């Protein structure tokens, strides 16, 4: 199978309209990563196995965007979450209380423009 075909075959997450995040595990070294790549960034291995992420992790950063982030001028909150599987992912925050150091839980929300579902996080309450 051609390299580009292998990369295309590995799609099927939220970017394709499916409400899930995929974490790839390198079959050579076990490195886990988010976002498809032709080769492992650690060992260069070409084979990886995709599995759905648990959707839980630790919020490591949060910010607010004000300038033209939406057509109606509404503020957008972005967060970086280190998934329990290891990779760090970016998503929107739909919980104003979510802050760095909080446990976070993933859901998929309408982006408010074209109906696409985007990763969104909220604080995980016990």
């Amino acid at each position: 199978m051609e390299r580009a075909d292998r990369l295309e075959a590995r799609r099927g997450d939220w970017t394709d309209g499916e409400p899930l995040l995929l974490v790839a595990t390198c079959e050579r070294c076990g490195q886990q990563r988010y976002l498809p790549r032709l080769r492992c960034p650690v060992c260069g291995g070409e084979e990886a196995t995709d599995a759905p992420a648990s959707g839980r992790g630790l919020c490591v950063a949060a910010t607010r965007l004000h300038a033209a982030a939406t057509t109606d001028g509404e503020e957008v909150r972005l967060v970086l979450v280190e998934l329990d599987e290891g990779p760090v992912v970016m998503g929107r925050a739909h919980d104003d209380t979510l802050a760095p150091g909080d446990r976070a839980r993933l859901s998929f929300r309408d982006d408010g423009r074209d109906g696409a579902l985007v990763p969104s996080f909220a604080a995980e309450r016990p």
Side-chain angles (χ1 to χ4, degrees), residues 1-10 38 46-47:
M1 181 182 288
E2 293 291 320
R3 289 171 44 165
D5 292 337
R6 271 198 329 265
L7 188 60
E8 184 65 27
R10 295 187 56 227
L38 289 174
E46 294 185 10
E47 300 301 320

Side-chain angles (χ1 to χ4, degrees), residues 65-76:
L65 297 177
H66 299 278
T70 62
T71 56
D72 60 6
E74 183 180 319
E75 157 184 298
V76 174

Side-chain angles (χ1 to χ4, degrees), residues 8 18 21 23 39 96 112:
E8 184 65 27
E18 298 294 326
L21 292 178
V23 173
R39 293 182 176 273
D96 286 338

